[in-house]
């Protein structure tokens, strides 16, 4: 039977968390002389930021809970998904003793967070069609396996992992946390695993405002889990981990869920079109099926294609050296003109006719994005 206390590092259980000024007095009205803030204001005309933000982001959680169908007590908000990823490792894994299990090819941060904390990493590759090798996973779990990372839809392959496989692992791994990273769930045609939180005390679901909500710059990640685990994460997080501007903007964004859905619909239609166009190119071997906002595409000569694209200021992610991704580039679905530009550069490479509306090498320079996505 799963018992959270057996999973946590012993000192985490007995730890006394930092108690912030905003924890000790939660009223809104009064003369606030308790947090050593600047009473005069801020050195910016962009607003007043001299007061510390709500350490528990209650306003966001109250708006988010009904949208996600969970209780506010089941929500942890982090500085990106990176923060809960790291906190989960630190809460459960004793360095040099415990381990985590990942299924490559997958998101790089699980491995990095474990490595930073000197925690051993067990790797059980996905099958060639990017599904969970359930028997191999179950055989690889040890007494010391504290975290099992699943990414669905998976980055970089783009596909959902089969529900049955995840369920089998949730039920078998009863002394580990099973984390389902759903960064791309809004693009998938399937319910979130948040619907199963009350059935599996060892289930953790990660989502993010960085993808479908279009708020990558704000750095806001969501973690859904049992109330007990959320309390532990709250206990070990930095007290003011979500800035006031991020809280304000996220709160406002949550009143625009319909616009998020519209953008998702548009991106899905464009993904379909892009996949079809890519499949018609002679240099493309495989466009892997995607449940996300990107495509994993296998080329005859990925390295060459990647470099040709870079020269034309079209930047994609080279995944050709990644396990099971031989010859693959990962391509985000862009705007229609961006997707057309990508296709034109690829067609030109294939010496097939280039469409007229976006001439290449005719003096019209594409501008390189200033912010390079690091996902
Ligand atoms: C993009 C992405 C995230 C989001 O990370 P943030 O830190 O919230 O921006 C999380 N997991 C996966 C698999 C991703 O691809």
């Amino acid at each position: 039977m799963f018992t959270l206390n057996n999973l946590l590092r012993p000192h985490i259980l007995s730890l006394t968390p930092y108690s912030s000024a905003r924890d000790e007095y939660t009223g809104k009205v009064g003369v606030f002389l308790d947090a050593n803030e600047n009473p005069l204001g801020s050195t910016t005309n962009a607003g007043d930021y001299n007061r510390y933000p709500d350490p528990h982001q209650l306003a966001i959680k109250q708006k988010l809970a009904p949208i996600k169908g969970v209780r506010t007590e089941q929500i942890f908000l982090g500085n990106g998904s990176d923060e809960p990823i790291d906190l989960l490792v630190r809460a459960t894994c004793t360095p040099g003793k415990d381990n985590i299990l990942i299924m490559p090819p997958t998101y790089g941060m699980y491995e990095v967070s474990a490595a930073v904390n000197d925690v051993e990493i067990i790797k059980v590759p996905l099958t060639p069609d990017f599904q969970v090798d359930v028997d191999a996973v179950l055989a690889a779990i040890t007494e010391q396996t504290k975290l099992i990372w699943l990414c669905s839809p998976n980055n970089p392959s783009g596909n959902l992992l089969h529900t049955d496989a995840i369920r089998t692992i949730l039920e078998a791994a009863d002394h580990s946390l099973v984390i389902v990273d759903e960064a791309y769930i809004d693009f998938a045609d399937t319910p979130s695993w948040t619907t199963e939180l009350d059935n599996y005390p060892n289930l953790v679901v990660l989502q993010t405002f960085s993808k479908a909500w279009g708020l990558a710059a704000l750095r806001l990640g969501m973690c859904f889990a049992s109330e007990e685990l959320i309390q532990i994460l709250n206990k070990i997080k930095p007290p003011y981990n979500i800035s006031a501007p991020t809280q304000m903007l996220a709160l406002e964004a949550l009143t625009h869920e319909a616009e998020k859905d519209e953008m998702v619909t548009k991106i899905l239609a464009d993904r379909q079109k892009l996949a079809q166009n890519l499949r018609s190119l002679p240099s493309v071997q495989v466009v892997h099926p995607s449940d996300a906002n990107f495509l994993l595409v296998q080329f005859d000569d990925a390295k060459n294609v990647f470099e040709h694209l870079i020269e034309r200021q079209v930047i994609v992610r080279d995944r050709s050296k990644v396990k099971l991704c031989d010859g693959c580039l990962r391509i985000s679905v862009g705007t229609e003109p961006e997707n057309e530009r990508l296709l034109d550069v690829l067609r030109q490479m294939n010496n097939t006719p280039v469409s007229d509306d976006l001439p290449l090498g005719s003096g019209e320079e594409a501008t390189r994005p200033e912010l390079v996505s690091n996902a």
Side-chain angles (χ1 to χ4, degrees):
M1 206 192 72
F2 179 80
T3 317
L4 183 62
N5 287 1
N6 295 344
L7 192 88
L8 298 171
R9 294 166 72 185
H11 73 283
I12 295 288
L13 261 180
S14 53
L15 181 109
T16 308
Y18 177 77
S19 181
S20 71
R22 290 293 170 271
D23 280 323
E24 297 190 357
Y25 183 84
T26 52
K28 295 264 183 295
V29 190
V31 177
F32 286 92
L33 306 176
D34 59 347
N36 301 346
E37 297 149 335
N38 184 331
L40 305 178
S42 309
T43 49
T44 170
N45 294 327
D48 286 332
Y49 297 104
N50 54 324
R51 298 295 178 182
Y52 280 102
D54 175 5
H56 303 295
Q57 311 98 26
L58 253 184
I60 302 177
K61 288 178 186 173
Q62 280 164 358
K63 208 162 241 168
L64 192 57
I67 291 176
K68 298 294 179 183
V70 300
R71 299 184 292 283
T72 55
E73 296 80 9
Q74 292 174 304
I75 307 175
F76 173 86
L77 296 173
N79 183 356
S81 305
D82 304 332
E83 187 170 34
I85 290 171
D86 181 64
L87 291 178
L88 285 163
V89 173
R90 287 198 282 148
T92 61
C93 296
T94 301
K97 176 167 173 266
D98 294 324
N99 65 63
I100 66 151
L101 192 152
I102 63 169
M103 298 168 214
T106 194
Y107 188 49
M109 276 309 291
Y110 319 138
E111 182 166 0
V112 170
S113 268
V116 166
N117 289 292
D118 189 24
V119 166
E120 187 197 338
I121 300 149
I122 297 178
K123 296 182 185 180
V124 180
L126 294 172
T127 58
D129 61 344
F130 302 117
Q131 288 299 330
V132 177
D133 186 340
V134 178
D135 291 342
V137 168
L138 297 184
I141 296 172
T142 74
E143 280 293 310
Q144 309 304 330
T145 303
K146 296 302 179 83
L147 305 177
I148 299 171
W149 293 94
L150 294 154
C151 188
S152 181
N154 186 45
N155 180 1
S157 55
N159 60 293
L160 283 162
L161 303 178
H162 291 151
T163 306
D164 294 350
I166 298 181
R167 197 177 292 282
T168 303
I169 291 172
L170 273 167
E171 284 169 9
D174 64 355
H175 63 277
S176 312
L177 289 176
V178 177
I179 302 130
V180 185
D181 185 344
E182 295 185 333
Y184 301 98
I185 192 67
D186 301 85
F187 302 100
D189 184 18
T190 180
S192 164
W193 278 92
T194 51
T195 53
E196 298 279 359
L197 281 175
D198 288 331
N199 299 331
Y200 297 106
N202 57 337
L203 171 63
V204 180
V205 179
L206 298 183
Q207 293 185 11
T208 180
F209 283 89
S210 296
K211 308 286 157 64
W213 289 89
L215 299 170
L218 294 189
R219 310 307 303 128
L220 191 58
M222 301 167 251
C223 174
F224 306 99
S226 70
E227 294 179 23
E228 292 73 21
L229 179 60
I230 297 300
Q231 275 171 17
I232 296 293
L233 297 180
N234 281 331
K235 201 160 113 163
I236 64 177
K237 81 182 177 74
Y240 303 109
N241 60 327
I242 310 295
S243 76
T246 293
Q247 293 195 38
M248 228 168 55
L249 292 168
L251 199 59
E252 199 273 334
L254 283 170
T255 64
H256 300 282
E257 199 191 358
E259 281 157 46
K260 184 262 292 176
D261 292 338
E262 271 171 45
M263 288 201 279
V264 166
T265 303
K266 171 69 181 147
I267 290 166
L268 290 181
D270 289 348
R271 182 189 75 196
Q272 158 93 3
K273 216 163 96 182
L274 178 61
Q276 211 169 342
N277 282 320
L278 284 167
R279 284 191 183 104
S280 74
L281 298 178
S283 62
V284 168
Q285 288 181 352
V286 183
V287 178
H288 288 283
S290 171
D291 300 296
N293 64 340
F294 59 85
L295 294 166
L296 187 69
V297 184
Q298 190 180 36
F299 290 88
D300 284 336
D301 186 358
K303 194 172 159 44
N304 207 11
V305 172
F306 178 76
E307 270 156 20
H308 184 83
L309 286 169
I310 290 267
E311 273 164 31
R312 303 305 172 104
Q313 295 173 310
V314 176
I315 300 96
V316 300
R317 200 84 201 269
D318 183 0
R319 302 280 80 180
S320 60
K321 296 284 168 287
V322 171
K323 199 169 197 76
L324 298 174
C325 298
D326 243 9
C328 286
L329 304 179
R330 194 194 68 193
I331 303 175
S332 305
V333 178
T335 63
E336 272 184 88
E338 287 171 342
N339 299 337
E340 269 313 310
R341 170 79 185 176
L342 165 84
L343 288 163
D344 279 346
V345 174
L346 291 173
R347 285 186 194 116
Q348 191 206 42
M349 222 189 145
N350 289 327
N351 290 322
T352 45
V354 173
S355 88
D356 289 330
D357 47 349
L358 273 166
L360 291 174
S362 63
E364 196 190 349
E365 289 291 329
T367 43
R368 181 166 180 152
E370 280 167 36
L371 295 168
V372 176
S373 165
N374 147 61

